[in-house]
Amino acid sequence: MSSPPAPARTVSGARHLAEALTRYGVTHVFYVDAILRRAMVDMEELGIRRVVVHSEASAAYMADGYARVSGRPGVCMAQSVGAANLAAALQDPWLACSPVVAITGKKPPMFQYRNAYQEVEHAPLFAPVTKYHADVVAPEQLPHLMRQAFRVATTGKPGPVHLDLVGREARELEVADGLPAPTHEPEYATVPPFRPAPDAASVARAAAAIEGAERPVLVAGGGVRISGAAAALVALAEHRNIPVATSVNGKGSIDERHPLSAGVVGSYSAWCANRVVHEADLVIYVGSQTGDQTTHNWSVPAVGTRIVQLDLDPAELGRSYPHTVGVAGDARASLEALRAELPASAGHGAWLARVRAHVAGFAAEHAAMRASDEVPIRPERLCAELSALLPDDAVLVSDTGYSAIWVATMIQLTSPRQTLIRAAGSLGWGFPAALGAKCAAPDRPVVCFTGDGGFWYHLHELETARRHGINTVTVVNNNHGFSQGIPDVLMQYGSRPGNPAELYAFGEQVSFAQLARDMGCVGIRVEEPAAIAPAIREALACGAPAVVEVMTHFSARAPNPWTPPA
């Protein structure tokens, strides 16, 4: 007679949550105390690093950087009173299609709608910046909703999800006994879990449009990076002899020294790329949402230009350009299908010569500034030095605003092993996101490029970096102010008297390098161009969190985007 089956293993709510995270490959959680303290004890036993940070925004940005570099969901947490701060910071992963799992506590049902201390309704806060929100009120819900959170975060267009756990610190769920041991679906542990192939008819239509074009150009967006489709993109470009421009998020999809590389297009752009896309008679968008930044407010390409668009989300096909030839599917699968459909071509010689002339013209225009010995230092010179010194396998993290424009136009990515992630809009994102990226890729050099305006937001996380040994290099382009807005401020003043500098200038008394040293990190201040390279080399080799503070021209202007004539 056979023995009866062994009873299924049961665990507490705290253990269930910790084991579930482990099964999905989560190595770090980023949070502000106090939440899930019992689960934190189990997480330590299971090898998950608990990273206590100094603001909920930092926790969300770290989880975002972790997710973008690892391809695995990043996890951030906050107690009930911190939920609003956490929700606000999910804007960046939402806009960047980053799989972040946000977990908060909330007071029990009998505390709701009764003016409970520090409590507001959470669902409306998270609705605009998440794909999925669930209230976890009963312990029995936890197994199902944890699985669903990871499933939704990683499938389709990736994005943030939110679980709101009952209890200010979620203690009610933690102490529950008798939950089943967690199961998980391994396909939802990474992005993309599936690679839906495009239908043959749409591929044939796109191939026909490409064969009929005399001046085609590919535009690679962030979806190329998410899909791991860079090699397939370059293979198609070389197969058909088609130049490649990128969005800022797509930068690095092609070696920027490649003869087919046209640069970054849009509002944060090199004028050569805008000219190329504007002059094209067919623009092939791959994993790009064709928003205002990539198209420079929908002026590039020209109105009426034929469009082919490859995107995982069918709702994006033709969103901005009617009569688009749409191909719905995973970026890599779609590029491979398109290449198989098209015969090889060595044509477009005159068109490529024009593309190369534009690229060479942009480079020549800025060559003197990239080699400048001026003091204060020119940002172009800083970018040239960083381009030369960026390790072959580096992760480059860029803040938004001027930092993103300098990175887009002046820093060259030359290796398929290099990765760029950048802020989708929140100034100050760069430094904490770099810490999350380093947690995801501890064996890769991680370099953050930010300005003083961005670094001020979250420099307190230097203490977190030192405490956890998160050894990033932060290059601060320090011009003592918000310089991107200076031209507009001065235009608004015109000839009127006043103090325009009050709107953009900071004080000059603080040294970020000294602050870094005071917080137990390495801090290096650079005031001469010749000192940039030695400082970056030292920071990369020091084995500690490092800040390289480079004193740059306050009046230096990043390149303006080329705009088609009216």
Side-chain angles (χ1 to χ4, degrees):
M1 189 172 183
S2 60
S3 301
R9 184 169 69 94
T10 61
V11 294
S12 69
R15 187 72 184 189
H16 181 99
L17 197 144
E19 288 189 10
L21 294 179
T22 304
R23 286 174 178 268
Y24 281 103
V26 174
T27 61
H28 294 70
V29 295
F30 308 95
Y31 73 105
V32 175
D33 193 59
I35 184 171
L36 293 170
R37 283 175 172 163
R38 291 196 180 193
M40 294 295 171
V41 177
D42 286 313
M43 288 183 210
E44 180 182 25
E45 182 181 292
L46 295 171
I48 295 176
R49 192 78 168 268
R50 296 90 35 93
V51 182
V52 179
V53 302
H54 296 289
S55 77
E56 291 85 4
S58 291
Y61 296 160
M62 289 182 195
D64 187 11
Y66 176 98
R68 295 200 215 179
V69 169
S70 69
R72 301 189 303 272
V75 178
C76 55
M77 303 182 184
Q79 64 168 291
S80 178
V81 70
N85 294 335
L86 197 69
L90 291 181
Q91 173 180 265
D92 252 83
W94 169 256
L95 293 172
C97 305
S98 179
V100 169
V101 177
I103 298 175
T104 56
K106 64 180 298 182
K107 291 195 174 179
M110 287 305 295
F111 284 71
Q112 301 295 326
Y113 317 112
R114 300 175 70 184
N115 300 315
Y117 178 56
Q118 297 182 334
E119 185 77 10
V120 297
E121 190 175 354
H122 294 170
L125 304 174
F126 286 88
V129 290
T130 57
K131 293 178 66 181
Y132 175 77
H133 159 87
D135 290 314
V136 188
V137 179
E140 296 79 15
Q141 293 177 287
L142 187 62
H144 158 65
L145 293 177
M146 280 292 291
R147 292 196 308 274
Q148 185 68 4
F150 280 84
R151 185 182 299 115
V152 175
T154 56
T155 51
K157 184 193 297 183
V161 298
H162 174 229
L163 294 180
D164 213 7
L165 310 185
V166 67
R168 187 173 69 98
E169 300 171 12
R171 185 60 47 81
E172 286 84 344
L173 292 177
E174 288 188 296
V175 299
D177 285 320
L179 271 66
T183 59
H184 83 296
E185 298 143 317
E187 61 269 34
Y188 304 119
T190 57
V191 172
F194 308 109
R195 294 193 179 276
D199 70 275
S202 65
V203 172
R205 288 193 296 270
I210 292 170
E211 287 203 80
E214 296 180 359
R215 301 182 307 280
V217 63
L218 286 151
V219 176
V224 172
R225 175 188 56 78
I226 294 170
S227 173
L233 173 84
V234 176
L236 176 63
E238 293 175 341
H239 183 67
R240 291 292 301 181
N241 223 23
I242 301 175
V244 178
T246 75
S247 69
V248 183
N249 285 341
K251 182 180 171 75
S253 299
I254 185 170
D255 183 333
E256 294 185 285
R257 302 166 302 179
H258 194 291
L260 294 176
S261 175
V264 173
V265 68
S267 300
Y268 286 8
S269 63
W271 64 253
C272 53
N274 279 14
R275 289 287 298 269
V276 168
V277 174
H278 182 71
E279 293 173 12
D281 65 352
L282 177 70
V283 180
I284 308 153
Y285 286 101
V286 185
S288 177
Q289 294 180 335
T290 64
D292 59 331
Q293 188 175 77
T294 302
T295 64
H296 192 30
N297 299 318
W298 301 284
S299 66
V300 177
V303 174
T305 303
R306 293 202 71 193
I307 304 293
V308 169
Q309 189 171 5
L310 283 58
D311 204 279
L312 181 65
D313 184 358
E316 294 299 331
L317 302 176
R319 180 191 289 270
S320 296
Y321 295 97
H323 312 300
T324 288
V325 178
V327 178
D330 170 73
R332 192 172 84 189
S334 298
L335 286 165
E336 291 170 348
L338 200 52
R339 183 174 182 270
E341 183 78 11
L342 286 162
S345 171
H348 310 130
W351 171 230
L352 286 178
R354 185 162 179 79
V355 170
R356 289 170 187 149
H358 284 325
V359 173
F362 179 81
E365 181 179 298
H366 295 279
M369 289 295 97
R370 289 173 65 83
S372 173
D373 288 326
E374 287 184 38
V375 175
I377 295 166
R378 295 288 313 186
E380 296 93 333
R381 173 67 185 270
L382 169 58
C383 291
E385 298 284 356
L386 186 54
S387 296
L389 292 168
L390 202 62
D392 177 71
D393 61 342
V395 177
L396 178 62
V397 183
S398 169
D399 231 317
T400 192
Y402 252 18
S403 294
I405 302 175
W406 289 121
V407 166
T409 60
M410 294 291 158
I411 293 181
Q412 275 198 326
L413 299 182
T414 58
S415 166
R417 299 175 65 212
Q418 291 173 334
T419 301
L420 170 68
I421 61 173
R422 65 103 179 193
S426 302
L427 188 61
W429 173 93
F431 175 52
L435 299 183
K438 184 66 175 178
C439 291
D443 297 327
R444 296 176 66 183
V446 176
V447 178
C448 173
F449 186 92
T450 187
D452 51 310
F455 194 49
W456 273 117
Y457 274 75
H458 300 291
L459 60 81
H460 48 263
E461 301 302 349
L462 283 169
E463 189 279 330
T464 304
R466 181 200 57 75
R467 175 167 27 100
H468 283 277
I470 308 172
N471 300 334
T472 58
V473 173
T474 304
V475 177
V476 182
N477 173 29
N478 188 357
N479 55 20
H480 298 300
F482 287 134
S483 61
Q484 187 176 8
I486 293 174
D488 189 56
V489 169
L490 296 180
M491 183 175 69
Q492 302 311 317
Y493 264 85
S495 60
R496 293 169 64 182
N499 181 17
E502 188 173 63
L503 302 183
Y504 54 74
F506 302 151
E508 301 184 11
Q509 298 82 7
V510 176
S511 165
F512 292 124
Q514 184 59 55
L515 278 176
R517 292 191 290 270
D518 289 344
M519 296 174 78
C521 303
V522 171
I524 309 167
R525 187 177 173 98
V526 177
E527 297 180 338
E528 300 284 340
I532 297 173
I536 293 175
R537 289 193 189 97
E538 179 182 346
L540 287 167
C542 72
V547 173
V548 179
E549 179 184 24
V550 182
M551 311 311 296
T552 58
H553 259 293
F554 189 70
S555 59
R557 306 264 69 81
N560 288 320
W562 178 84
T563 303

